[in-house]
Amino acid sequence: MVRAFFDEQTNTISYVVSDPATRHAAIIDSVLDFDQASGRTATTSADAIMAYVEDEALTIDWLLETHAHADHLSAAPYLQQKLGGKLGIGRAITQVQDVFGQLLNAGAEFVRDGSEFDRLFDDGDQFEIGGLQASVLHVPGHTPADMAFVIGDSAFVGDTLFMPDFGTARADFPGGDARQLFRSIRRLLSLPPQTRLFLCHDYKAPGRADYEWETTVIAQREANVHVHDGIDEDAFVAMRQARDATLAVPRLILPSIQVNIRGGKLPAPEANGIRYLRIPLDAL
């Protein structure tokens, strides 16, 4: 069973995936509320997930991150403390940690070996959610560390794809690569045609009234405006690079990345009891 939670402030969809037979579940791409102007965090979004888990009497086995998000802070540590479960992400998170560790001038205490996470997934890894079998696909391009989680007849594809009328993710972040993204998407679209694809974001394409986040492989192959069948790699790369050149830096990239590369853990309080985030000037 899949239950979606939409956070309109960041256009992010989080998911709880559960096995009805055993009541075991995984939480994918949770959101910690963050008001940039005041620097305040809140757990409203995460608490809605927690309430659902408790109402359904679910046992959380996993807290999964499809990648280190640049548009919201992860609530995984908060949910893990409340509900248990192991925190997992792709092994290439170490590449992202290294790039942004340098940008943020992180000290020697930031080891950059992925040890903030309980499990670093490799391509092809398999795991279980109760009686559900899950497998992992490494789908880099948006970032080096993007992973898709294939669970039953569904795939949770992170930021690789949007709804068919909106297209595909950007590939201009450090370590991103439009050619890799195309190949990763084609890999996802080689899954069985009726595979349900659950997306991490929706921004409502022009003319569409409602937010949407579930589609299928066949729908993407037939109608994705950027990468439907018949679009070749060179044409996609040219389109993606031209489009990315027009996009603004995500509003929350600096707060999000420095928290998410640490597994969602907030910085430790300093001597005055206050936590601080770093904002590098003139660096992006």
Side-chain angles (χ1 to χ4, degrees):
M1 182 175 178
V2 178
R3 173 71 158 83
F5 296 82
F6 181 63
D7 178 64
E8 191 166 356
Q9 292 299 312
T10 62
N11 295 90
T12 301
I13 305 94
S14 307
Y15 298 97
V16 177
V17 187
S18 59
D19 173 20
T22 65
R23 315 302 293 175
H24 283 244
I27 299 170
I28 303 176
D29 291 337
S30 61
V31 174
L32 180 71
D33 304 292
F34 178 66
D35 180 71
Q36 190 171 25
S38 66
R40 291 189 178 278
T41 62
T43 59
T44 305
S45 296
D47 288 339
I49 292 175
M50 187 162 61
Y52 171 77
V53 168
E54 292 174 345
D55 287 348
E56 295 294 317
L58 301 176
T59 298
I60 299 301
D61 291 343
W62 293 96
L63 301 110
L64 303 173
E65 301 286 347
T66 54
H67 62 297
H69 306 275
D71 38 36
H72 70 269
L73 281 64
S74 171
Y78 171 76
L79 289 168
Q80 187 176 41
Q81 181 185 32
K82 298 290 187 179
L83 301 172
K86 294 181 180 180
L87 176 58
I89 200 168
R91 186 174 299 279
I93 187 61
T94 57
Q95 298 178 38
V96 182
Q97 288 178 326
D98 187 54
V99 168
F100 281 94
Q102 293 181 49
L103 174 66
L104 297 165
N105 199 29
E109 72 280 359
F110 182 39
V111 183
R112 312 176 201 186
D113 62 357
S115 57
E116 297 83 359
F117 301 86
D118 300 310
R119 173 77 178 269
L120 299 181
F121 289 107
D122 292 304
D123 184 63
D125 278 354
Q126 297 187 352
F127 62 100
E128 295 179 349
I129 303 167
L132 297 176
Q133 298 299 309
S135 60
V136 181
L137 299 179
H138 184 209
V139 286
H142 174 60
T143 79
D146 280 63
M147 307 299 281
F149 299 101
V150 182
I151 305 170
D153 67 349
S154 302
F156 299 82
V157 301
D159 284 14
T160 52
L161 285 162
F162 298 133
M163 291 300 292
D165 58 0
F166 201 88
T168 57
R170 65 195 299 167
D172 60 335
F173 293 156
D177 185 287
R179 202 166 293 279
Q180 272 193 332
L181 179 62
F182 178 85
R183 295 172 185 175
S184 293
I185 289 171
R186 294 314 305 181
R187 187 181 186 197
L188 289 169
L189 298 187
S190 69
L191 293 169
Q194 299 308 317
T195 301
R196 298 190 297 164
L197 302 180
F198 290 94
L199 315 179
C200 192
H201 297 288
D202 187 56
Y203 302 96
K204 287 198 294 192
R208 174 153 53 85
D210 299 318
Y211 291 108
E212 298 178 9
W213 46 78
E214 180 181 350
T215 179
T216 62
V217 166
I218 190 63
Q220 294 281 6
R221 293 186 63 164
E222 290 178 347
N224 187 287
V225 294
H226 294 167
V227 73
H228 59 76
D229 286 356
I231 299 292
D232 68 24
E233 184 173 316
D234 289 339
F236 174 82
V237 169
M239 177 282 302
R240 191 66 266 169
Q241 291 177 341
R243 183 176 175 84
D244 288 349
T246 71
L247 300 178
V249 174
R251 178 174 58 89
L252 293 181
I253 185 172
L254 291 170
S256 297
I257 286 291
Q258 61 189 289
V259 169
N260 294 339
I261 60 176
R262 292 176 167 89
K265 298 176 180 68
L266 297 175
E270 297 193 7
N272 61 356
I274 299 173
R275 305 174 190 269
Y276 292 88
L277 295 170
R278 290 189 170 196
I279 304 297
L281 300 179
D282 304 317
L284 290 181

